[in-house]
Amino acid sequence: MRVKKLFSAKDILSWRSSQLSLGGRSIDLDWLLDIGGGLGWESLQKLKIFQNSQYELHKSLEDLAIIWAKHLKDQIPLQQLVGKCPWRDFEIEINSSVLIPRQETEILIELVLEKFRTKDSGCWVDLGTGSGVLAIGLARSLPSWTGYAVDCSEDALKVAARNLELLNKNKKVNLYLGNWWEPLISLWGSFDLVLANPPYIPTSIMKELHPIIKNHEPHIALCGGEDGMDSIREIIRGACKGLRKGGWLIFEHHHDQSERALKYLIENGFDQVDFQKDLEGVRRFAMGRLT
């Protein structure tokens, strides 16, 4: 039986109302219509005004209803159920082996561009690349640079490889399997930039996370040890050897780790140490230049 993929605005609005009556947030259901159904955010805004219009969806409303029901019942992230997630100006593949990229992490790329927008060439590394979003963002923002992406998860690295193959056209990103700096020993001292979004949630807080995160996203990409800073300390110590003089380290951290992160950077020989706030005004990013 052929699946109907052309729906009227009235059909979609009626479907939307019935799905929301089952539970969940309207913002999440609209995300499903947008990314899963291909309706597009602009079309979503027009539905109530142009109710006689018709819209083509990538999936039938019945298929989208099945996804929504599974999301509500099993608390599985919609990104995993749909298998993709938008980030900056592109979409990436997502599954349970990688962390779902957050919008606030996009700020890391903006911080890089502030430092290196006019530098024609260089060498960067994305430590703990996961799905590869930061590596893709760097490769597209700094197309003449050479990049390296590292992850300790073989499954995550496979996802990153597929995303890079699809979205990175210049092919100048090298993937390495291993723990933080370990697979890059032969390249120590050659990096102009280190970027990382490491696991930084303290062990004691892991059990308090929402079930959607706690039960379905990889703990290895979330838990940063007793105080949440095990990986951050390892990255900073390694950056002292991995960066060339004058190179920058920029990373994301937990909402209450800013002072400790900046202090540790200074103790390890970094200057121009600074922080950046996230979209909610919380100090979320740390940076420093190796003297």
Side-chain angles (χ1 to χ4, degrees):
M1 181 178 178
R2 187 178 179 183
V3 177
K4 177 184 177 183
K5 292 188 177 181
L6 197 63
F7 301 89
S8 71
K10 290 180 180 179
D11 287 339
I12 297 172
L13 287 171
S14 176
W15 176 89
R16 183 178 181 276
S17 178
S18 67
Q19 297 306 306
L20 285 175
S21 70
L22 302 175
R25 304 188 305 169
S26 60
I27 190 173
D28 294 330
L29 187 59
D30 289 343
W31 185 96
L32 178 59
L33 278 168
D34 181 5
I35 307 303
L39 183 59
W41 187 252
E42 185 176 345
S43 296
L44 272 170
Q45 310 312 306
K46 294 179 179 178
L47 287 177
K48 294 180 181 180
I49 302 174
F50 305 103
Q51 296 197 15
N52 292 324
S53 300
Q54 289 191 319
Y55 299 88
E56 185 174 357
L57 301 181
H58 296 163
K59 295 181 181 292
S60 69
L61 292 177
E62 291 81 3
D63 287 341
L64 292 174
I66 292 172
I67 294 173
W68 184 247
K70 190 167 184 61
H71 167 66
L72 295 179
K73 178 178 179 293
D74 298 329
Q75 296 285 281
I76 299 176
L78 286 171
Q79 293 90 336
Q80 291 180 7
L81 292 171
V82 173
K84 59 184 178 180
C85 178
W87 200 79
R88 284 179 70 82
D89 58 345
F90 53 86
E91 283 185 357
I92 59 165
E93 175 191 334
I94 282 292
N95 62 30
S96 59
S97 65
V98 298
L99 195 68
I100 297 170
R102 273 61 175 178
Q103 184 183 8
E104 64 192 12
T105 304
E106 297 181 15
I107 295 174
L108 282 172
I109 302 297
E110 299 306 318
L111 293 174
V112 169
L113 290 176
E114 288 179 9
K115 305 294 183 187
F116 295 106
R117 192 184 301 273
T118 59
K119 186 172 172 57
D120 292 334
S121 63
C123 187
W124 57 258
V125 59
D126 170 25
L127 294 177
T129 192
S131 62
V133 287
L134 287 175
I136 295 166
L138 287 170
R140 290 158 73 100
S141 300
L142 304 171
S144 61
W145 287 44
T146 298
Y148 296 82
V150 177
D151 205 285
C152 64
S153 166
E154 188 172 357
D155 290 336
L157 213 58
K158 289 177 181 178
V159 176
R162 290 194 294 271
N163 283 327
L164 281 159
E165 178 68 24
L166 180 64
L167 294 164
N168 174 37
K169 305 304 182 184
N170 66 24
K171 311 297 183 186
K172 296 176 69 174
V173 178
N174 307 278
L175 296 175
Y176 283 84
L177 177 65
N179 190 49
W180 303 122
W181 285 101
E182 183 183 359
L184 301 173
I185 291 176
S186 63
L187 296 167
W188 281 5
S190 62
F191 293 103
D192 300 278
L193 167 67
V194 179
L195 201 63
N197 180 18
Y200 52 67
I201 298 175
T203 304
S204 61
I205 297 179
M206 287 293 296
K207 62 179 180 294
E208 302 173 8
L209 296 176
H210 193 284
I212 287 181
I213 299 173
K214 180 175 63 177
N215 298 336
H216 298 286
E217 295 201 61
H219 284 203
I220 194 173
L222 293 169
C223 185
E226 185 175 351
D227 67 350
M229 293 190 63
D230 286 356
S231 296
I232 289 174
R233 283 188 287 266
E234 190 167 350
I235 289 170
I236 293 175
R237 288 194 299 266
C240 297
K241 300 175 182 178
L243 281 170
R244 67 172 78 246
K245 290 183 179 180
W248 283 87
L249 168 60
I250 306 174
F251 60 90
E252 185 171 330
H253 55 70
H254 204 231
H255 65 82
D256 60 354
Q257 294 170 347
S258 180
E259 291 295 337
R260 284 175 286 164
L262 300 184
K263 182 174 182 289
Y264 203 68
L265 282 169
I266 294 171
E267 290 174 351
N268 281 270
F270 287 82
D271 66 4
Q272 298 186 39
V273 171
D274 202 357
F275 66 86
Q276 177 65 43
K277 296 179 179 179
D278 63 16
L279 300 174
E280 296 182 352
V282 177
R283 290 168 61 159
R284 179 72 65 172
F285 308 95
M287 67 198 85
R289 173 180 165 272
L290 187 64
T291 57

